[in-house]
Amino acid sequence: MDFPVHDVPLRNLKEETLTSQPPAWFEAALAQRPCRHEVALEGATVHYRVWGDSWPGVILVHGAGGHSAWWDHVAPQLGGRVVAVDLTGHGDSGRRPVYSIAQWAREIRAVAAAEDLRAPHLVGHSMGGRVAVAASALGPAAGVTCIDSQVYPVSANIREARSPRRAPRVHATAQAAVDRFRTIPPQESLPYVRAHVAAQSLRAVEGGWTWKSGDGTFGLPPTLRELVAGIDPTLPLAFLRSSEGVVDEEMVAALVRAAPGEVHLVELPAAGHHPMLDRPLELVRALRAVLSAQEAATAAVRSAATSRHVL
């Protein structure tokens, strides 16, 4: 499968922030509405969105507190069959008493099986990067890509993850909730992207509106460094680092040391931890290039294996 790579120039975020009208590319992406499906696994339903119909396919995994709609303006631009999952405890999926990276990895594999994606590309943002790597150990994959996923926790993140979290606030109106939408960590976002993601993050409850994602989903072990150490060394692995995100060069070096094979490193200039919110076109460009490289590497491995078998 060919993932086309197009030049996408860096944009001026402040200039776009002053523009109230969403650009044509954004409206065109949202016009490609996904199909929505659910699969049951171990006592809970797992909701996901699907665009396109060609293989081998890409599965997108959101971060902690996120959901599948964070990819609505990104997924249609990747080409082929793209699936965005709501991990349990997030979005429109069911809830569980407790959560784990291993449980979420099984959910990714259940969705892949439901969509007949036998060796998908697994792409995860932040915590979703750990889920993607864990899922790659449970079955065939064409490659794994982590987007600004912390390689190991730092003390401030541990305190934040383990601190008691208040019950989600109920807002009187949907607009009041959208106006209060914030990211962790805080960052600038394109206003039209922020408005869409915020609106898709809401659910109606008695007395008004609240957020879909619940507690118990932050700071779960194991670390990305631990997970990467156990992957197949022949599996294509890429890491996209946001220059203004949460991953510093020391973390990247630790990831490279832990990985048993090569790591394809890509920098997203001027991007915050959530690049789909502030640099979505640059993220699309980087993902297209990485997915194309991974597809070529996987095809080369298959060809070599076939040649050895024939000989």
Side-chain angles (χ1 to χ4, degrees), residues 8-101:
V8 181
L10 287 173
R11 296 156 298 112
N12 188 310
L13 183 60
K14 290 184 179 179
E15 288 182 2
E16 277 206 50
T17 300
L18 296 175
T19 303
S20 59
Q21 185 67 26
W25 72 262
F26 182 76
E27 294 184 329
L30 294 191
Q32 299 182 53
R33 297 186 180 278
C35 297
R36 299 190 180 206
H37 304 286
E38 289 183 344
V39 61
L41 180 70
E42 300 172 22
T45 57
V46 181
H47 169 265
Y48 61 95
R49 304 173 186 225
V50 182
W51 295 261
D53 57 4
S54 59
W55 277 255
V58 178
I59 297 182
L60 303 173
V61 190
H62 60 76
H67 50 80
S68 59
W70 281 58
W71 304 102
D72 277 355
H73 56 300
V74 172
Q77 301 188 71
L78 297 181
R81 190 169 188 79
V82 183
V83 177
V85 180
D86 284 333
L87 302 174
T88 52
H90 300 77
D92 294 316
S93 286
R95 271 46 182 169
R96 301 184 188 277
V98 294
Y99 301 96
S100 70
I101 298 296

Side-chain angles (χ1 to χ4, degrees), residues 5-286:
V5 180
H6 304 294
D7 287 332
V8 181
L10 287 173
R11 296 156 298 112
N12 188 310
L13 183 60
K14 290 184 179 179
E15 288 182 2
E16 277 206 50
T17 300
L18 296 175
T19 303
S20 59
Q21 185 67 26
W25 72 262
F26 182 76
E27 294 184 329
L30 294 191
Q32 299 182 53
R33 297 186 180 278
C35 297
R36 299 190 180 206
H37 304 286
E38 289 183 344
V39 61
L41 180 70
E42 300 172 22
T45 57
V46 181
H47 169 265
Y48 61 95
R49 304 173 186 225
V50 182
W51 295 261
D53 57 4
S54 59
W55 277 255
V58 178
I59 297 182
L60 303 173
V61 190
H62 60 76
H67 50 80
S68 59
W70 281 58
W71 304 102
D72 277 355
H73 56 300
V74 172
Q77 301 188 71
L78 297 181
R81 190 169 188 79
V82 183
V83 177
V85 180
D86 284 333
L87 302 174
T88 52
H90 300 77
D92 294 316
S93 286
R95 271 46 182 169
R96 301 184 188 277
V98 294
Y99 301 96
S100 70
I101 298 296
Q103 175 71 63
W104 287 326
R106 293 195 295 274
E107 293 172 8
I108 297 302
R109 281 297 169 183
V111 169
E115 291 300 310
D116 196 28
L117 299 180
R118 300 176 186 179
H121 292 269
L122 303 171
V123 177
H125 168 240
S126 193
M127 179 197 75
R130 288 187 284 143
V131 177
V133 173
S136 74
L138 303 181
V144 177
T145 302
C146 301
I147 304 171
D148 212 53
S149 302
Q150 280 198 320
V151 178
Y152 49 80
V154 295
S155 57
N157 298 111
I158 293 174
R159 287 195 298 270
E160 190 279 331
R162 293 180 178 175
S163 62
R165 306 183 70 82
R166 294 175 296 176
R169 178 179 175 180
V170 175
H171 300 268
T173 66
Q175 187 59 53
V178 168
D179 291 342
R180 296 281 297 176
F181 180 77
R182 301 290 186 273
T183 62
I184 302 176
Q187 70 169 64
E188 287 188 84
S189 303
L190 295 171
Y192 45 88
V193 177
R194 178 185 177 277
H196 173 77
V197 170
Q200 293 293 310
S201 302
L202 293 172
R203 61 187 176 92
V205 296
E206 183 177 356
W209 299 82
T210 192
W211 307 111
K212 290 180 178 180
S213 295
D215 295 339
T217 61
F218 285 80
L220 299 174
T223 67
L224 182 61
R225 177 167 53 187
E226 292 167 332
L227 289 165
V228 162
I231 68 171
D232 182 347
T234 66
L235 179 67
L237 173 64
F239 191 91
L240 276 56
R241 174 183 175 268
S242 295
S243 66
E244 307 301 319
V246 300
V247 178
D248 57 23
E249 292 182 0
E250 184 178 337
M251 277 195 182
V252 173
L255 176 73
V256 172
R257 289 194 299 269
E262 294 185 6
V263 183
H264 182 179
L265 300 176
V266 178
E267 177 118 344
L268 298 174
H273 178 57
H274 311 283
M276 64 284 291
L277 299 185
D278 65 351
R279 297 292 181 186
L281 293 182
E282 289 79 8
L283 176 61
V284 168
R285 178 186 182 183

